[in-house]
Amino acid sequence: MQVTYWLEHAWLDPEVEPGVAVEVADDGRIAAVRKGVDAPPPGAVVLRGFTVPGLANAHSHAFHRALRSTVQVGSGTFWTWRETMYEVASRLTPDTYHALARAVYAEMALAGITAVGEFHYVHHAPGGAPYDDPNAMGEALIAAAAEAGIRITLLDTAYLSSGFGAAPDRHQLRFSDGTAEAWGARCSALKDREHARIGAAIHSVRAVPARELGTVAQWAEARRAPLHVHLSEQTAENDACLDAYGLTPTQLLSEHGVLGPRTTGVHNTHLTDGDISLLGSTGTGTCMCPTTERDLADGIGPALALQRAGSPLSLGSDSHAVIDILEEARAMELDERLRTRTRGHWTAAALLRAATADGQAALGWADAGRIEVGALADLTTIALDSVRTAGPAPRLAAETAVFAASSADVRHVVVGGRQVVRDGSHALIPDVASELTAAIATLRS
């Protein structure tokens, strides 16, 4: 059904424009964009506030949402946090994962996210036995996204080792296909659909032996699919990689053909100057996840240096300590300010670009992330009259969105021309909070 949306204020990169009419065709794409439309045309759906292209969450582990707050008790490290994460993973089934992911993706929709990159590695039953459908867990995630009304790139993840060739431990058995070849055979049965695209992931250099890296990279290359990898998140991993191979993780990935413009390194926190140069010169992307990186005390990655070297930036909520891509964008700039003690490393427009067009491209949705003819009609509207956003002139709406707004200020969300969030309420799932409560309680019982 064709529909016209009237945007009170819109971000037509890099400008904020008042009064924009967006016509959506039957195929869910933008058919026309008209500026200078002072009042809503007859029959148009009115989106009051500041409308940007749909936000992209380029890195998610949906089941980590069940850890929120419980892992904030006491102290510890990434490695102690990981043990708690394993316990939650051990309780997942296709049905319980579907229920949890549906609620998590609905929470994302309420936060203005129209596409998620799900870094998915819980493939099999506990103990490692495949389900009758070997992709039952991945299909549960794809179905959950459809029911929550958002797009998904399922980054099916190769996870073969507990560390540099060692066998998987008892928790990791359900993550492993044994070999990269077996991983490829299984995930080749997954198919793209209207709201879902299939990509690949290498969990990390510790979890995929060097001899297997090329197989995963070749699988992604043959399909021209996105390829993501956790990269240099921890100094301990860097040290172990140097001991095992005499190379940094980035150098190892480069030697085995993993780097390139369809590849995204997630975190990219502890890099050498040579690593930064390699990532930039190959056009390999960087997905920063500041709320998780600070929650796990991982460190502040060299995002500015990476971008200057040629690495496109995207953003993800990763462990879902919070789900708020506006906060991720703000945190990337503010963390850099703390590190350098200078201000203004990115403009608000550049940060919005990382949250929209560049994030969508990292997930294989290069036809999203822009309000222009031919693009997917994915829109997120942020209130300009909340207690956080009231006051600034509308021409400063981009600065207001990035530096003052939060996910609580998302008012409307449109995906493929269909309104998924209206006036802050989910149109498909009436009580998202109750669904989250029930799904997480099931995993604790």
Side-chain angles (χ1 to χ4, degrees), residues 82-147:
R82 190 175 71 156
E83 293 305 311
T84 305
M85 179 270 289
Y86 283 160
E87 289 300 325
V88 172
S90 71
R91 301 188 188 107
L92 294 170
T93 68
D95 288 342
T96 61
Y97 205 5
H98 172 266
L100 176 60
R102 169 185 148 107
V104 173
Y105 295 154
E107 181 182 357
M108 290 185 191
L110 290 170
I113 294 162
T114 60
V116 60
E118 184 60 41
F119 200 103
H120 166 57
Y121 54 82
V122 187
H123 301 307
H124 307 299
Y131 290 103
D132 290 342
D133 174 0
N135 287 306
M137 295 293 266
E139 291 290 352
L141 293 166
I142 291 170
E147 292 170 29

Side-chain angles (χ1 to χ4, degrees), residues 32 55 63 121 141 163 237 267 270 299:
L55 303 177
F63 76 91
Y121 54 82
L141 293 166
E237 179 176 87
H267 304 300
H270 302 285

Side-chain angles (χ1 to χ4, degrees), residues 388-404:
R388 288 165 294 277
T389 62
R395 64 182 175 78
L396 298 175
E399 286 76 11
T400 301
V402 171
F403 291 107

Side-chain angles (χ1 to χ4, degrees), residues 67 71-85 233-236 292-299:
L67 300 171
V71 290
Q72 308 303 333
V73 179
S75 61
T77 66
F78 168 87
W79 307 103
T80 56
W81 169 89
R82 190 175 71 156
E83 293 305 311
T84 305
M85 179 270 289
E233 182 177 6
Q234 297 289 323
T235 56
T292 292
E293 290 150 5
R294 69 192 183 196
D295 183 60
L296 296 180
D298 285 343

